[in-house]
Amino acid sequence: MNGLGQNFAQFMEEQGLRDEVEELAAKKVIAAQLKQEMERQNLTKSAMAKRMHTTRTAVDNALDPAFNTSISTIERFARALGKRVSIALV
């Protein structure tokens, strides 16, 4: 660790945490967007599960950033909300 002049990104990189933190942050953003759209449409988790032809537990898992939700599940979730997923490399 450098001390003075070191920024947080450098610290995270040195600790080997940058990729893990960025992945969790992306998952949190996606989960928040899905929850927000559910709220906008006044959908409960049970109603969402019914739309997706799955269980409420599966919906809970998809909304949990710590759970390893597949892209295909996120796409199914989005379609059930009348939305689509856009992924870009930057």
Side-chain angles (χ1 to χ4, degrees):
M1 188 156 122
N2 245 1
L4 290 176
Q6 181 183 36
N7 68 31
F8 189 65
Q10 290 170 326
F11 172 77
M12 296 298 286
E13 189 72 41
E14 284 178 11
Q15 299 300 310
L17 299 171
R18 183 176 169 206
D19 290 343
E20 183 180 337
V21 168
E22 286 180 354
E23 179 183 350
L24 182 58
K27 288 179 175 184
K28 284 185 176 193
V29 168
I30 291 168
Q33 289 175 337
L34 293 171
K35 286 178 189 176
Q36 182 179 25
E37 186 59 27
M38 282 177 60
E39 289 170 5
R40 192 186 74 71
Q41 294 184 28
N42 294 315
L43 288 171
T44 64
K45 290 178 182 178
S46 295
M48 191 67 209
K50 195 174 243 183
R51 275 193 186 188
M52 292 177 68
H53 306 288
T54 191
T55 64
R56 181 164 181 231
T57 300
V59 171
D60 281 331
N61 289 342
L63 294 173
D64 179 359
F67 191 81
N68 194 16
T69 304
S70 69
I71 291 173
S72 63
T73 298
I74 293 168
E75 288 175 329
R76 272 185 49 223
F77 204 118
R79 277 193 308 273
L81 291 167
K83 300 292 181 180
R84 63 183 180 82
V85 174
S86 176
I87 299 172
L89 294 176
V90 292

